[in-house]
Amino acid sequence: MKTRLTVTAAVATLLSSIGLYPLFIGWAWFWPGLGAVAVVSGAGALTRRFRLPAIFNLAGGLAALNLYLTTVYTAPEAFLWVVPTPASLARLGSLMGDGWNTANKYTAPVPLNDGVALLATLGVGLVASTVDLLAVRLRRAAPAGLPLLAMYSVPAAVRDESVSWIAFMLGAIGFMALLLADAREQVSGWGRHVLSVRWSEEVPGERPDSRAMAGTGRRVGLAAVAIAVLLPMAVPGIHPKGLLGLSGTGDRPAGSGTVRKPDPMVSLRRELQRPDDSVVLTYRTDDPGQPDYLRLWALDLFESGQWTYSSFNGTPKDRIKNRDLPPAPGLTQDTPVRTVRTEIKMDRHAKDFEFLPLPYAPARVGISGDWRVHPASLMVYSLHDVADGRSYTVTSKRPEPTAEQLQAAGEAPADIRSHYLAVSPEVQDSIQALARKHTKGAQTDYQRAMKLQQWFTSSAFTYSLTAQPPDNANDLVDFLTKHQVGYCQQFAAAMAVLARSLGIPARVAAGYTAGSRDQNGTWVVRSRDAHAWPELYFEGVGWVRFEPTPGAGGGPGQGTATTPAYAETATGDTGSGQGGHAPPATPSPAVTGGQATPGAGPLGHRPDEGGLTGTVPKRKTGPGVPLGWISAILLVLLILAAPMGVRLATRRRRWAQAIRPPAREPASRGPVRPRRTWRDDPPADPAEAAHAAWAEMRADAIDHGLPWRSSDSPRSAAHHLAELLELAGPASAALDRIALAEERARYAPVPAPADTLRADVQVMRTVIAESVDRKTRLRARFVPPTAMSALRGAGGRSLETFDRLVSRIGELTHRR
C-alpha cells in the first residue's frame, strides 16, 4: 500500500502549503487545507489498495476533494450534507466567484471569507492530488516538486517581498523527505537481499548495514537545503537587501547610483485597498490651520497612460545632512510663505519607505542616515536607507498665494514648458478638444484650472475604489468620456493631462492627505489616507496643488481630502462647488465606501515624551548606528573565537574535574574566609589531576604541530618529546613529573603527588610554544586543531542525532 510514501507526500504538500501564508490575513485558511490533503491522500491510498489504473487515482482524489468541499462549505445544499447536488455545486461556484472578486479587490494579504478560504482549500487539494499521483502512483517523485514549487510562485508573483526563508526551508525539507522515501521504496522493490555464504555464516539472519549510506544521503540533503537558504542571503544581487540583508539595497553603491523606480500608482492602490486601514505615521505640527498634504513622489513623466517620474542619479552632493534644501522651483519673494515645522514619526510596521513623506515645500529635513534630495522636485530619498519606524523633523516653506496672484501669473519658463507639457500623441487631439470644451470662456490658466477642478467634482463623476486603474492612454480617455468612475489616481492623472493639453505645466503628486487629528492634537495618517493630486505650475508661485477628487469638504469620496484656499473660488465664481473646511479637532465619524477611518487613537505616545507639545519625541539627527553591521561583525568575531573558547573551556573543565569539593565543615562564629576559585584550590584527586595534566600537555603538543603517537606509553611519549625539544633543566624535570604522574595514575595503586602538575604543564606549554614559529603559535592560540576536532565531533554527533530521529520517524510510519 506504500503507506510511508503516501504519508510523506501528504506531509510534503502540507509543508509547502505554508508558503501561501503571505496571501491571507490570519491562518484560518490552513486548517481546511489540512483536511483536504488528508482526504485526497486517503482516497489515493484506497484506489491503490484495489489496484485500479492510474487514472482512477486522480479521479478518486478529485472526487474525494469535491465531497470534502461540499461538506465543509455547502453542506446545507447537499444531499445528506455530503453528496453534491446542483444547488451545492451552484453554491460552490458562487463562493468561488466571491473569493475571486475579493482577491482582485484587495492586495495581499487579503481578508479571509468563505470564498477566499474555498479557493485556498481547492488549490491545496489540487496540488495534493497531483503530488499523490506523481510521487506515489506513478513513482515520479522528482516531477512532483513542480506542483509543490507552484505554491511558492503565487506569493512571489503578487508580492514585492519574498517568502520567508523558514517557510521555504520547511517545504524543501518536505520535498527532500519525499525523494528519500521514494528512493527507499525503489530499493525495497528490488526484492529480498541476496547474502553471500560468508555473510550468512558470520551474521545469520542479518541484513547488510546501510545506515552509513542513508546517513550520507540525509547529510547531503540537509546541506543542500542549508545552501539553498543561506547562499541567496550572502550573494549581492540575489537577496534584495544585499549581503546578509544588511544593506538597504544590494544593487546600489553607497556613493552614487540610479534611483530605482517603484510604481507610485501601484503603491497608492495597495494602500487604499488595505483592509486593516493601518497607521502609517503620526505627526505634530505648528501649522495653525489645516496641515498640507504629505508628498512622497512628484510624477513628471506621462507615457502610455501611466504617470511616473523620470530617472535620475543620486550623487553625494545631493545629501541633505546639516544643510538646507534647494529653493522651491518657481517660488519668488513676491508670494507669501508660512514657515511650518513638523515632527513626523513613521510607524514601525510601515515598510520600505525609501522616500520621505513631507509637506511641500521642504526647506530642511533632520533625519539620521544617508538621505538625499532631487533638486527639481524636492523629493527626499535614500539609496540604502528606509524610514520605517524612524522619527524626523521637517521645516517647510508653505506658499500661500492668492487667487489674484495666480490669476496674474505670467508664462512659465521655457525649460518648464518643454518638460511638463508632454502628452501622448495618440490622445493629444481628443484630450485637447475635451479640455477646451470644459474650460470654455476661461481667460487665464488659473481660470482654466478651476473650471477643470469644478467639472471633476461635479455630479458627472463618481468616486469608487473598485475602478480599474488605466493601463494606457485610451483608458484615460474612456474615464473622461464614458464611465467617469474612478478614485484619486484617475482624477489626478486626468486633470494633469488636460492641463498640459491647455498649455499649463502639470505633474501628478502622490503621498498622503493630512489625515485626522485625535483628541490630543496629534495627526494620524492611515493607509486609506493615501492620495494622488495634480500640481500645476504658475510663474512666481511655483508648483501648487489642486483637488479634483470628490470628497473634499465632507462629500462622498476621499474623506480626508481638502481644497486649498486659493482653489476655492475663481474671480468671484464658485470654483469647485465645495468648501475647503478643515476636519474638526475631535474624531469625525467613520466614512464608508472605502474612505479613511478618522478618529483612531494616537500611536501610543506618552505626554511626557517631548516634542512640539509633548507628544512626539525629539531625536538627534546625527549619523545612525549601523546595528546590522555591528551585529554581523560581532557574529563573525564570535565564530572566529569559537575554537579558542572551546579550547579554554576544555582546559577549565579538565582541571575542575580534578578538584573534589571539600567536606562541609560545621558552622563557626569565626571570620568568614574569602571564597576560593578552582584556580586557587590544589588538586584533591591526584589521579584525575595526572590525567588532566597529561591531556593538557598532549593537546598543547598537537596544537603546535608536534608529532604525538597515541599508541606510546607515557614514558615513551615523554622520551620522544624530550628528544624533539632537546629539554634540559627545569623543563626536563617538569616533563618527567607529568609522565610519572600519568604512569602511576594508570598502573600504580597509589598515584603520585599532584601539587606541582599545573605549574609543570604551564612550563611545558611555554617550552612547546617557543620551539615553533610565530605562525604556528598563532594558529595554536586562535585555531587550535584539538578544538577544531572537538567541533567537528560535535557536528557529527548532531548529524547522527538527526539521522536517528529521521529513522525513528520512518519506523513509526512504516507499515508492512
Side-chain angles (χ1 to χ4, degrees):
M1 290 180 62
K2 305 182 181 67
T3 305
R4 181 200 299 268
L5 196 57
T6 301
V7 172
T8 306
V11 172
T13 303
L14 197 62
L15 291 176
S16 297
S17 70
I18 296 176
L20 297 173
Y21 77 93
L23 300 179
F24 313 103
I25 297 178
W27 283 88
W29 61 272
F30 178 77
W31 307 112
L34 171 62
V37 172
V39 168
V40 168
S41 300
L46 186 63
T47 59
R48 290 187 291 274
R49 175 67 178 83
F50 293 100
R51 302 183 182 277
L52 298 176
I55 187 63
F56 288 96
N57 195 110
L58 180 62
L62 295 178
L65 179 61
N66 187 16
L67 293 176
Y68 175 76
L69 296 178
T70 300
T71 304
V72 173
Y73 295 102
T74 62
E77 291 83 3
F79 178 68
L80 298 178
W81 295 280
V82 177
V83 181
T85 63
S88 68
L89 293 178
R91 176 61 177 163
L92 282 178
S94 176
L95 284 177
M96 285 190 286
D98 293 341
W100 185 258
N101 292 333
T102 301
N104 286 318
K105 180 178 180 181
Y106 297 102
T107 56
V110 300
L112 196 66
N113 54 30
D114 288 344
V116 173
L118 172 60
L119 289 179
T121 306
L122 177 61
V124 174
L126 291 176
V127 171
S129 180
T130 306
V131 171
D132 187 79
L133 173 67
L134 293 174
V136 187
R137 181 63 179 84
L138 299 180
R139 308 302 298 274
R140 297 293 185 269
L146 294 177
L148 297 178
L149 183 62
M151 288 194 284
Y152 290 97
S153 66
V154 176
V158 302
R159 294 178 77 245
D160 295 333
E161 299 179 3
S162 58
V163 177
S164 167
W165 67 270
I166 297 178
F168 170 78
M169 184 177 66
L170 291 175
I173 290 176
F175 180 56
M176 296 298 299
L178 182 61
L179 294 178
L180 290 172
D182 177 70
R184 186 164 184 168
E185 291 291 337
Q186 295 281 6
V187 172
S188 64
W190 294 347
R192 298 180 60 185
H193 291 274
V194 179
L195 305 178
S196 64
V197 176
R198 177 181 177 184
W199 181 277
S200 301
E201 292 175 354
E202 294 181 357
V203 193
E206 292 285 339
R207 285 183 167 188
D209 189 1
S210 61
R211 289 178 295 177
M213 182 177 297
T216 301
R218 285 190 283 269
R219 291 185 179 94
V220 171
L222 186 62
V225 173
I227 292 174
V229 171
L230 297 178
L231 184 62
M233 300 174 62
V235 177
I238 295 181
H239 194 275
K241 296 295 184 182
L243 180 62
L244 298 178
L246 297 176
S247 62
T249 52
D251 56 346
R252 293 184 300 204
S256 300
T258 301
V259 179
R260 68 176 184 175
K261 280 188 178 182
D263 192 328
M265 294 308 179
V266 171
S267 302
L268 172 67
R269 180 178 177 85
R270 182 186 299 119
E271 285 290 275
L272 286 171
Q273 295 183 341
R274 285 179 64 94
D276 53 356
D277 194 21
S278 57
V279 173
V280 177
L281 60 90
T282 59
Y283 66 93
R284 299 283 296 189
T285 179
D286 59 3
D287 195 335
Q290 169 71 19
D292 205 0
Y293 291 174
L294 301 173
R295 192 191 64 170
L296 278 165
W297 301 288
L299 313 179
D300 61 318
L301 196 61
F302 181 67
E303 294 179 340
S304 301
Q306 301 290 331
W307 282 93
T308 184
Y309 57 84
S310 304
S311 299
F312 60 91
N313 290 327
T315 61
K317 68 180 180 63
D318 295 328
R319 289 191 174 103
I320 65 173
K321 180 182 177 182
N322 299 327
R323 74 180 184 93
D324 293 336
L325 273 61
L331 182 61
T332 65
Q333 296 180 353
D334 297 333
T335 301
V337 172
R338 182 166 71 245
T339 301
V340 178
R341 187 172 186 270
T342 308
E343 294 188 354
I344 301 175
K345 180 176 178 60
M346 301 294 299
D347 189 80
R348 62 186 180 89
H349 298 294
K351 296 299 183 184
D352 299 329
F353 273 77
E354 296 175 343
F355 287 72
L356 293 183
L358 301 171
Y360 191 80
R364 191 178 183 93
V365 179
I367 185 172
S368 60
D370 183 12
W371 293 87
R372 312 182 184 196
V373 62
H374 181 232
S377 63
L378 295 184
M379 292 187 295
V380 175
Y381 62 93
S382 178
L383 294 172
H384 48 265
D385 282 331
V386 291
D388 311 352
R390 297 196 183 196
S391 296
Y392 57 95
T393 61
V394 53
T395 301
S396 54
K397 303 292 185 181
R398 182 175 180 179
E400 294 185 317
T402 63
E404 291 75 13
Q405 187 175 7
L406 295 175
Q407 186 90 299
E411 186 178 26
D415 59 334
I416 295 292
R417 295 180 61 83
S418 63
H419 187 75
Y420 293 97
L421 291 179
V423 179
S424 301
E426 63 269 21
V427 297
Q428 173 70 42
D429 295 337
S430 58
I431 289 290
Q432 194 170 49
L434 192 63
R436 289 176 177 173
K437 173 184 176 182
H438 290 281
T439 59
K440 186 177 181 179
Q443 302 298 318
T444 65
D445 288 346
Y446 176 61
Q447 291 179 4
R448 297 184 185 97
M450 291 302 301
K451 282 185 174 291
L452 289 177
Q453 178 178 270
Q454 181 181 7
W455 178 44
F456 284 116
T457 55
S458 67
S459 58
F461 289 87
T462 303
Y463 182 92
S464 174
L465 285 173
T466 61
Q468 293 297 320
D471 292 329
N472 50 60
N474 291 325
D475 289 346
L476 196 59
V477 175
D478 291 341
F479 164 72
L480 292 170
T481 59
K482 295 181 181 179
H483 54 79
Q484 295 181 321
V485 177
Y487 54 98
C488 59
Q489 176 180 347
Q490 286 90 339
F491 288 102
M495 181 169 175
V497 172
L498 292 174
R500 284 191 174 191
S501 68
L502 294 172
I504 308 174
R507 66 189 185 189
V508 172
Y512 296 92
T513 66
S516 303
R517 187 168 56 186
D518 66 12
Q519 296 178 352
N520 296 324
T522 299
W523 289 86
V524 182
V525 176
R526 298 178 175 273
S527 58
R528 295 291 179 87
D529 295 322
H531 194 44
W533 61 93
E535 292 182 342
L536 278 56
Y537 184 91
F538 293 87
E539 182 61 21
V541 180
W543 294 100
V544 295
R545 73 172 178 91
F546 287 81
E547 188 49 82
T549 302
Q558 173 57 281
T560 55
T562 56
T563 304
Y566 54 79
E568 291 182 359
T569 58
T571 63
D573 297 328
T574 302
S576 62
Q578 61 197 4
H581 306 293
T586 57
S588 58
V591 180
T592 59
Q595 279 64 255
T597 309
L603 198 57
H605 305 304
R606 299 188 303 272
D608 58 346
E609 285 181 332
L612 288 177
T613 57
T615 300
V616 181
K618 293 182 180 179
R619 295 194 179 184
K620 296 181 179 180
T621 58
V625 179
L627 296 178
W629 282 109
I630 291 176
S631 301
I633 292 173
L634 292 177
L635 178 62
V636 171
L637 292 177
L638 182 63
I639 294 174
L640 294 178
M644 182 171 59
V646 170
R647 181 69 180 90
L648 294 176
T650 303
R651 181 181 302 163
R652 180 188 178 103
R653 177 179 55 80
R654 284 171 178 160
W655 287 115
Q657 288 177 348
I659 301 174
R660 289 195 301 265
R664 178 173 299 180
E665 300 178 357
S668 64
R669 298 182 180 180
V672 179
R673 291 178 297 179
R675 182 178 180 181
R676 299 172 63 88
T677 65
W678 67 274
R679 293 182 181 274
D680 302 321
D681 292 329
D685 188 338
E688 291 294 335
H691 294 324
W694 185 256
E696 276 298 305
M697 188 178 67
R698 174 183 177 275
D700 288 332
I702 294 175
D703 289 341
H704 288 83
L706 302 183
W708 189 284
R709 293 184 298 186
S710 58
S711 60
D712 285 347
S713 65
R715 185 173 301 183
S716 177
H719 177 71
H720 291 153
L721 187 60
E723 287 184 346
L724 181 64
L725 299 178
E726 299 178 355
L727 298 181
S732 178
L735 176 59
D736 291 340
R737 286 192 292 271
I738 295 173
L740 178 61
E742 175 65 12
E743 189 175 59
R744 291 183 60 175
R746 290 185 185 183
Y747 310 119
V750 179
D755 296 340
T756 63
L757 288 181
R758 194 175 299 165
D760 294 336
V761 170
Q762 183 61 44
V763 171
M764 288 304 302
R765 183 177 298 118
T766 302
V767 172
I768 291 174
E770 293 175 349
S771 68
V772 297
D773 55 31
R774 183 178 180 182
K775 179 180 178 181
T776 305
R777 285 197 299 272
L778 292 176
R779 185 193 66 170
R781 176 177 291 273
F782 296 105
V783 195
T786 55
M788 298 301 297
S789 177
L791 291 174
R792 287 193 296 269
R797 289 190 294 273
S798 300
L799 286 175
E800 290 174 0
T801 302
F802 175 76
D803 293 342
R804 287 195 295 270
L805 179 62
V806 172
S807 299
R808 180 60 178 165
I809 295 174
E811 292 174 0
L812 293 176
T813 58
H814 184 65
R815 297 290 185 272
R816 292 296 182 182

